[in-house]
Amino acid sequence: MTTDTPARLLHLLSLLQTPREWPGSELSERLRVSRRTVRRDIDRLRELGYPVQATMGTDGGYRLVAGKAMPPLVLDDEEAVAIAVGLRAGAGHAVEGIEEASVRALAKLEQVLPSRLRRQVSTLQAATIPLTSGDGATIDPRTLTVMAGAATGQERLRFAYHSGDGSRSRRLVEPHRLVSTGRRWYLVAYDLDRDAWRTFRVDRVSEPFATGARFTPRGLPGGDAAEFIRHSMNRLQPRYRVVATFDAPAEFVAARLPGSLGTPEPVEGDDSRCRLDVTATDSVEWLGLRLALVDCEFTVSEPRELVDYLAGLGGRLSRATAPREQP
């Protein structure tokens, strides 16, 4: 008979989380306790918030049903590894709408994973290569979870950082919030060496670790991390008005453009063509390639930098396919 009540309750909960109904006699046999003990353990789980439903009958049965709130889950080793790998994929390759939730959940899960399971997760992650669109930077999920944990726990964070101009530095910051723009991750933090609020591209961060030194959170200017990132990007990056006309219907073009570039509108009087008129802060190289990937004829009238880039790109592509003279 199992005398360790906490261990028995965890075993019972693990069984009930399987989507089936368990006869009381089978639970009694699995747990090696009396049916009366099973009934008492079921009552304990209900007191802890687990909605266990009982059915009447000669043998009686129990099953876990959906409740109003989600109590803690009990996962076996394979389930925990599978969930951690899935969360790492969602966090490391910005999937619109779930990336920030993935980081929060991953930080909580990896905090309680035994070291042997963390090694399994890392091994599986290293042995697989995701097929992504290439529009955004790939991030080591561990970098995100370390940052998220430091921000949540209000611990000072150290990391190595390389700027866009190639310069390298070591930073000591008070992390405030991680923000995903869909293509990139940014950290909003108070830089202690520069005595100012800063934004950091997470794909340029390496060797992050929480120092363990606690801090009292400061008031972020404006109070909104996403707006702070937006303001920083607009201040540091050039803004372009992009005007392009496509020889294809608006629905066709919209399905092949990222949402950040807005929605093309049909050309008046000609539903077979559409026009894109949007303000963008992306590089002209990225803009040019994204427009070309729509895979139809198009003409760009603004900005001049994009027109010049596409002219040069077109020449290079033409030369790349021209027959070469034999030596």
Side-chain angles (χ1 to χ4, degrees):
M1 177 179 293
T2 303
T3 57
D4 187 347
T5 302
R8 190 177 66 246
L9 285 175
L10 288 174
H11 189 189
L12 172 59
L13 182 57
S14 178
L15 294 174
L16 291 174
Q17 285 177 346
T18 303
R20 54 162 288 191
E21 183 170 297
W22 289 87
S25 58
E26 187 173 351
L27 290 176
S28 174
E29 182 179 348
R30 289 284 192 111
L31 299 173
R32 299 180 181 179
V33 296
S34 67
R35 296 189 189 184
R36 182 180 178 182
T37 300
V38 169
R39 289 193 295 270
R40 285 202 304 265
D41 287 348
I42 292 292
D43 288 338
R44 290 191 181 98
L45 290 180
R46 288 170 175 160
E47 292 172 358
L48 292 172
Y50 292 93
V52 182
Q53 185 180 76
T55 56
M56 305 301 292
T58 55
D59 198 22
Y62 303 95
R63 59 191 296 265
L64 197 63
V65 298
K68 295 182 180 179
M70 188 179 75
L73 296 175
V74 175
L75 305 172
D76 63 29
D77 287 2
E78 292 182 353
E79 292 167 341
V81 169
I83 291 175
V85 170
L87 290 172
R88 281 190 172 202
H93 308 281
V95 180
E96 187 173 2
I98 70 167
E99 60 274 14
E100 294 185 33
S102 296
V103 170
R104 293 196 304 271
L106 182 59
K108 293 176 182 178
L109 180 59
E110 293 202 340
Q111 184 178 4
V112 297
L113 278 181
S115 59
R116 57 187 173 81
L117 295 188
R118 284 199 297 269
R119 286 194 296 271
Q120 287 186 37
V121 172
S122 298
T123 299
L124 183 55
Q125 188 80 14
T128 58
I129 300 176
L131 181 62
T132 61
S133 62
D135 289 344
T138 299
I139 307 295
D140 180 356
R142 182 183 173 278
T143 298
L144 290 171
T145 56
V146 170
M147 289 182 163
T152 302
Q154 298 174 3
E155 292 184 56
R156 290 179 176 176
L157 183 72
R158 285 192 182 275
F159 54 84
Y161 192 72
H162 67 273
S163 302
D165 60 6
S167 61
R168 297 180 178 274
S169 59
R170 302 287 301 183
R171 302 298 182 98
L172 175 63
V173 304
E174 295 176 353
H176 175 72
R177 194 67 53 83
L178 282 165
V179 177
S180 170
T181 64
R183 291 175 52 222
R184 290 194 178 96
W185 281 99
Y186 291 87
L187 173 69
V188 177
Y190 191 84
D191 192 320
L192 293 170
D193 294 327
R194 289 154 180 79
D195 195 24
W197 286 95
R198 290 287 189 267
T199 61
F200 302 93
R201 270 180 49 175
V202 178
D203 57 298
R204 293 176 176 170
V205 169
S206 59
E207 306 170 38
F209 71 94
T211 65
R214 305 285 179 175
F215 65 88
T216 301
R218 304 169 189 259
L220 177 69
D224 185 272
E227 187 60 35
F228 187 84
I229 289 286
R230 188 177 296 108
H231 177 76
S232 298
M233 293 174 64
N234 291 342
R235 178 171 52 85
L236 297 175
Q237 296 179 345
R239 296 172 64 86
Y240 300 102
R241 182 190 178 199
V242 179
V243 180
T245 303
F246 297 87
D247 293 341
E251 296 80 7
F252 176 91
V253 176
R256 289 160 176 78
L257 282 178
S260 59
L261 285 183
T263 304
E265 298 292 337
V267 172
E268 187 175 355
D270 186 357
D271 289 341
S272 65
R273 301 169 69 231
C274 64
R275 185 171 183 265
L276 180 70
D277 189 341
V278 65
T279 299
T281 58
D282 299 289
S283 67
V284 294
E285 294 83 2
W286 185 85
L287 289 168
L289 292 175
R290 286 304 312 180
L291 296 180
L293 288 174
V294 173
D295 198 23
C296 70
E297 296 291 329
F298 69 98
T299 304
V300 173
S301 53
E302 293 187 48
R304 171 51 54 184
E305 294 89 342
L306 181 55
V307 173
D308 293 342
Y309 173 75
L310 288 171
L313 177 63
R316 290 192 295 274
L317 293 176
S318 296
R319 291 189 294 273
T321 59
R324 297 179 180 272
E325 294 183 2
Q326 295 296 324

